[in-house]
Amino acid sequence: MTKTIIITGGGGGIGRSVARAFLDAGWQVGLVGRRIEALEESATGHANALLLPCDVTKEAEVDAAFGRAYDTWGHLDVLFNNAGVAMKGAPIDELSVDDWRNLIDVNVTGSFIAARAAFGIMRKQSPQGGRIINNGSVSAQVPRWGSAPYTASKHAITGLTRTISLDGRKFNIACGQIDIGNALTDMAVAMTKGVPQADGSIAVEPVMDVAHVASSVLHMATLPLEANVQFMTVMASAMPYIGRG
């Protein structure tokens, strides 16, 4: 049976790279995102892509999109829970509460809604089970300067990962998390030009090819359900993470 995966945030960046890796590997891939044009670009040249435009913060839209994928494929093997946003760094008293709410709505509530939809399908399908891979961040462990909303959201993802892992045992649903550091996407281009450091300086940071993230997620997803990568960190080797600050 052909393996199936839904990828949220599939219209660009890490989501697009991961989607193309799975498409090239022969998986049936459901691409979730708000912009249909971006999803179409990610799917270019691949007949095994299923476009599922929706907003991950909208429960009804997510449930409908995941339901469409299940109706098309008959089963769901993996969710890569990837959709997320960031915001410009600043001390906490300079951050907008509205911006905080928007980031938490996408990064935390959106991840919960998508995981909830996937879990429901995996629990009820036959054979029962599946895998959820949450996109965390190295910020889930060590914060970057001025990143209170983003860091808090990624700590929440770790809590979500751990509880889904526990709740899923009864239903053969595995859950793991990939924490990524300085993968070169459009969002990370600034790192090649100089970004603020904890000591107040501006410095260029090492980056890595986003393809290494894609191959890592593919490895996690292809394990049998009796095995699980609970947490994986994949990062640019020399980035300021070990000993950050």
Side-chain angles (χ1 to χ4, degrees):
M1 183 181 294
T2 303
K3 291 289 190 178
T4 64
I5 183 171
I6 292 176
I7 297 173
T8 66
I14 288 168
R16 174 172 291 171
S17 179
V18 171
R20 288 177 173 170
F22 278 81
L23 288 165
D24 290 342
W27 287 54
Q28 296 289 333
V29 178
L31 295 167
V32 169
R34 287 179 290 187
R35 296 184 299 116
I36 185 68
E37 299 83 1
L39 299 181
E40 289 172 342
E41 187 175 345
S42 295
T44 300
H46 294 90
N48 48 328
L50 177 64
L51 306 188
L52 302 169
C54 72
D55 183 339
V56 295
T57 68
K58 308 297 184 185
E59 176 187 351
E61 292 186 18
V62 171
D63 287 347
F66 280 52
R68 182 181 162 213
Y70 180 75
D71 289 343
T72 301
W73 300 328
H75 69 289
L76 175 61
D77 293 301
V78 179
L79 164 66
F80 181 40
N81 212 0
N82 166 70
V85 296
M87 54 190 290
K88 186 176 180 180
I92 191 170
D93 62 321
E94 297 178 13
L95 297 172
S96 159
V97 175
D98 285 342
D99 288 344
W100 159 277
R101 288 190 172 116
N102 175 69
L103 184 145
I104 295 298
D105 199 27
V106 176
N107 291 11
V108 181
T109 306
S111 293
F112 167 79
I113 290 172
R116 178 178 179 272
F119 194 101
I121 290 171
M122 294 170 179
R123 176 178 177 177
K124 295 170 186 174
Q125 67 188 359
S126 182
Q128 188 180 62
R131 188 184 306 276
I132 295 170
I133 301 171
N134 292 324
N135 186 350
S137 167
V138 293
S139 291
Q141 304 172 51
V142 180
R144 182 180 288 278
W145 171 87
S147 68
Y150 185 79
T151 294
S153 77
K154 293 306 182 177
H155 276 69
I157 293 300
T158 298
L160 186 66
T161 298
R162 292 184 185 280
T163 52
I164 293 172
S165 294
L166 185 59
D167 294 351
R169 288 178 183 173
K170 183 178 179 181
F171 309 109
N172 201 28
I173 298 172
C175 184
Q177 179 171 318
I178 184 165
D179 293 330
I180 301 162
N182 288 21
L184 186 53
T185 63
D186 290 344
M187 289 178 60
V189 169
M191 295 177 185
T192 67
K193 300 176 181 178
V195 290
Q197 305 297 305
D199 62 2
S201 65
I202 302 293
V204 171
E205 294 190 7
V207 295
M208 65 174 178
D209 192 322
V210 69
H212 300 309
V213 176
S215 63
S216 297
V217 176
L218 187 59
H219 169 69
M220 294 171 75
T222 52
L223 288 172
L225 288 175
E226 67 184 22
N228 188 43
V229 175
Q230 187 67 63
F231 292 96
M232 176 190 288
T233 300
V234 56
M235 52 176 265
S237 299
M239 69 172 286
Y241 165 66
I242 302 298
R244 182 183 282 181

